[in-house]
Amino acid sequence: MRTKLKQNIMRLLIILLIVLSFSTSFANYGIKLAEMPIIPKPFSVVSGKGSFKLSDKSEICLSTSNIEVNKIGAFLREKLRPATGFMLPVVESADQNGKNNIYLVLSQTNSVLGDEGYQLTIGASRIEILANKSAGLFNGVQTLRQLFSEKIESSTHQNDSWIIPAGVIRDFPEYSYRGFMLDVARHFFSVSDVKRYIDLASMYKMNVFHIHLSDDQGWRIEIKKWPELTATGGKSQVGGGTGGFYTQEQYRDIVKYAAARNVMVVPEIDLPGHTNAMLASYAHLNCDTKAKTLYTGTEVGFSAICTSKESTYTFIEDVFKEISEMTPGNYIHIGGDESHVTKLEDYIPFVNRMQGIVAKLGKHVIGWDEIALSDLKANSFVQYWGKAENAVLGVQKGAKVIMSPAMYAYLDMKYDSLTPFGLNWAGYLDVQKSYDWIPESIVPGIKRENILGVEAPIWTESISSMKNIEYMAFPRIVGIAEVGWCSASTRNWKEYKLRLAKQGKRLKVLGVNYYPSTQIAW
Ligand code: ACM
């Protein structure tokens, strides 16, 4: 009798084990589209029945052969290739009936999707990304990447079924400007570092790369008419390293690389303060015509280009002209922050003139919030970072605002007191705080319609390697990407942090040195 009982218990246990293992494998296989941990969260996701399987017979089919769409097809092929080992052909094809293909369809029919939105339909035998503009197709492709297992991000061949669940995603951004800034002046970063940062940020549909090209500690862009800027001003950085600069060819290469990822480059030459590197390069830019010595410390607010000399404006016109010719985007950033040794009565006419120079080049000015003190031109943009009353003044003068509140969006702020580098003058910025803010609720007097978008800057006084940039930027930049993409009413920290935990696997495969915050159950 006792043996019989034992046998029955054993049988029951075995059945239980079989049922359990079936149900977990079913759960893995059966994950629905609406349960996928996509970041930023799409506007709407409807799960369908069944799934799509990518195979070595799949093709990437383009509805239109235009250069932009071709590039997006090639981008998708290259992102899928290393892990799958599939060299998917990119073909122009009106035939919509091929098996297991991915169709990229440009069609100017869906007004809700706007310039950057897309509709991604996954069926058992085909995937279609439909968009009004190529930017929308690109965003659809970035979402599609996240639907495969994280192995898809590997640079080496992986075994996987490459199955994704069926359904329909409709998606478009809340804000048209979703930026990330890198300070390459305090410490210089190589072209390949910059490209990696652009590639990673664009995964999360960020679309503006603001590059801080000049500051007291270094000048980072070749200007043919004024070669000492790089010959002298490019040779220093914080702590006394060798610095560096981008040749015009390298800068154009960065611009092209960014454009292929739906990222516009916004170059910044910081004026009239933060100018020691240029003042060391050319004596005549100083009111006393004495060249400054190179600076490798981290103080701010001590330098000023001479605003009372006509030759200063000739110099600036030349610099902006060359930069503007290399920059297809609409904006030039003129800095304007912390100009503590330029008197207000000199600062205001100076910023007014900068706006005229930039307008003549066919571009719009962006400046840090202090530029709101000037007579803002229509189409000048104020980037709020520190002083709310400046940002409000900018809005009162008719400008739109880019929201970069230091206490929520500065990625060089330490996570907590244990963070080994970074600063804390705007407070500690943990992962939750960097996600859990609402652009239109930050400053009384600045409403949704006054805001162009959001930007996450990273200043590099204390950050000197790409590994450390990644540690400070990730995972916070992922959350700020969602702040820019999703309306506040659709965001929720408790739900987001579950998606972020899963996203961590993807970051790991990509080799991103992210900060493993204990706020996330990685
Ligand atoms: C700034 O952080 N000085 C714009």
Side-chain angles (χ1 to χ4, degrees), residues 186 270 274 300 337-338 368 370 383 385 406 410 425 459:
R186 269 52 176 274
D270 205 344
H274 290 277
V300 296
D337 57 320
E338 299 174 310
W368 297 107
E370 291 92 325
Q383 184 165 11
W385 68 279
Y410 267 29
W425 59 261
W459 301 97

Side-chain angles (χ1 to χ4, degrees), residues 36 68 110 116 136 142 144 153 166 218 281 344 373 381 409 437 452 481:
M36 301 293 286
E68 297 298 311
N110 195 324
E116 282 199 280
Q142 292 292 39
L144 178 59
E153 302 302 342
S281 305
L344 193 59
L373 300 167
F381 295 84
W437 61 283
L452 180 67

